[in-house]
Amino acid sequence: MAGLLRVATRGSALALRQVELVEAALRSPVERVVVTTTGDLVPDRPIHEIGGQGAFAKEVQEVVLWGEADLAVHSAKDLTSTTTEGLVIAAYLPRGDVRDALVGARLDDLGPGARVATGSVRRRAQLAALRPDLDIVQLRGNIDTRLDRLREVDAVVMAAVALDRLDRAWSGEWLAPSTMVPQVGQGAIAIECRVGDRDMRRVLSTIDHRETRLALVAERAFLREFGAGCDLPVGAVATVDGDELTLTGILCVDGDSWRATRHGAVSDPLGRRLARELRHRAEVHDEAPVAS
């Protein structure tokens, strides 16, 4: 393709690092088109109050739709569960760490009343179920702002992959998915382009990672069944081994949690089936919370 590829992105350190990873995968320099999103403009309000999932993606997507950029690079967890009209997720890079990180302390070392900061309703609900004695407080901002918050609280929770990609030193512990189910798409980088841009789709197909795509298809189907983004405390994470898929999901409602792990072929509508199962269990309350 003639000329530099124009890549729409947020201007945060993490977003720009993700563009570097895409650039390396494409083995070609790119031109960055930096966009300010709703989430960037309102840094002091919870995400679910300013549009939930999509608050960090909509304006980036619009730049591509308007033809001012050729592709958009996102943290996959920032995308809504439905594809934006006119765009297609043409590639996922190989997924990074899916886990959440508890920074500042280990969970078992936090005393009663310890203050833990997070801006995610999913993390808040799971933390409250794990340790109802903790004082969970609001957290927003970029990675360094969140780490600076450790001056005021005992621990903060954030995506481990962000710390890895920015090479930030930290102490605490990784929270395995068996302890805290991650957000849908966590750890993955998604690349969108216009549906009708066949040349761009062909270029991006060369870097699309099969296992990550299949995992994200299942996770996004799980989330889509709830018709929700990060304003509802749900999480899901999938792994792919050949043609076999394993999906773990969680739904938290009014202090209770329902979690399950199911296995199937990658062609199975496993995400939708698991979401319906958990929603039914929550509605009828005929099984013990957090059963697997």
Side-chain angles (χ1 to χ4, degrees), residues 268-287:
D268 291 344
L270 200 59
R272 186 174 66 209
R273 289 196 286 110
L274 179 56
R276 289 177 177 178
E277 175 188 340
L278 294 182
R279 186 168 57 192
H280 176 71
R281 287 165 58 176
E283 288 171 351
V284 300
H285 284 238
D286 61 356
E287 296 187 49

Side-chain angles (χ1 to χ4, degrees), residues 22-274:
V22 172
E23 191 174 40
L26 290 170
R27 299 181 181 181
S28 176
V30 302
E31 177 185 348
R32 289 155 178 78
V33 180
V34 177
V35 180
T36 301
T37 67
T38 299
D40 298 314
L41 289 172
V42 192
D44 56 348
R45 290 177 59 190
I47 293 298
H48 67 272
E49 292 184 2
I50 57 173
Q53 270 184 312
F56 290 112
K58 180 180 178 182
E59 288 84 359
V60 177
Q61 293 169 323
E62 288 175 344
V63 168
V64 178
L65 287 169
W66 294 336
E68 296 175 4
D70 303 301
L71 57 91
V73 174
H74 310 277
S75 294
K77 66 183 181 63
D78 290 338
L79 294 174
T80 60
S81 59
T82 55
T83 304
T84 298
E85 185 176 357
L87 297 178
V88 60
I89 301 175
Y92 291 102
L93 294 192
R95 196 172 200 171
D97 199 327
V98 303
R99 296 173 294 181
D100 289 301
L102 182 68
V103 182
R106 296 182 59 83
L107 190 61
D108 288 344
D109 294 337
L110 291 170
R115 301 182 75 213
V116 179
T118 175
S120 161
V121 294
R122 171 190 59 84
R123 291 171 179 150
R124 292 176 72 95
Q126 293 187 75
L127 274 175
L130 289 166
R131 288 287 306 272
D133 60 316
L134 296 177
D135 179 15
I136 304 172
V137 299
Q138 182 62 36
L139 177 67
R140 277 287 314 278
N142 61 34
I143 300 305
D144 292 322
T145 299
R146 296 182 187 207
L147 292 174
D148 286 345
R149 191 74 187 279
L150 286 169
R151 300 171 183 173
E152 306 168 10
V153 300
D154 299 290
V156 300
V157 189
M158 61 181 70
V161 71
L163 297 164
D164 292 344
R165 286 179 178 150
L166 293 177
D167 197 26
R168 296 294 188 264
W170 64 284
S171 61
E173 70 174 313
W174 289 276
L175 299 174
S178 57
T179 299
M180 181 175 288
V181 181
Q183 185 172 341
V184 165
Q186 190 155 302
I189 296 173
I191 310 169
E192 290 185 306
C193 69
R194 291 182 293 278
V195 170
D197 191 342
R198 294 183 180 180
D199 289 341
M200 192 71 259
R201 293 180 71 168
R202 183 168 57 252
V203 169
L204 293 176
S205 70
T206 65
I207 64 171
D208 187 36
H209 188 252
R210 173 184 180 271
E211 288 77 11
T212 300
R213 174 173 290 279
L214 291 171
L216 267 290
V217 166
E219 292 175 24
R220 285 166 59 80
F222 175 90
L223 183 60
R224 189 161 55 248
E225 188 65 25
F226 291 103
C230 64
D231 55 336
L232 186 70
V234 299
V237 61
T239 57
V240 175
D241 183 6
D243 291 327
E244 297 297 316
L245 175 73
T246 299
L247 178 65
T248 297
I250 192 168
L251 167 64
C252 305
V253 180
D254 297 332
D256 288 330
S257 300
W258 287 266
R259 179 173 58 203
T261 298
R262 298 291 178 260
H263 309 274
V266 293
S267 59
D268 291 344
L270 200 59
R272 186 174 66 209
R273 289 196 286 110
L274 179 56

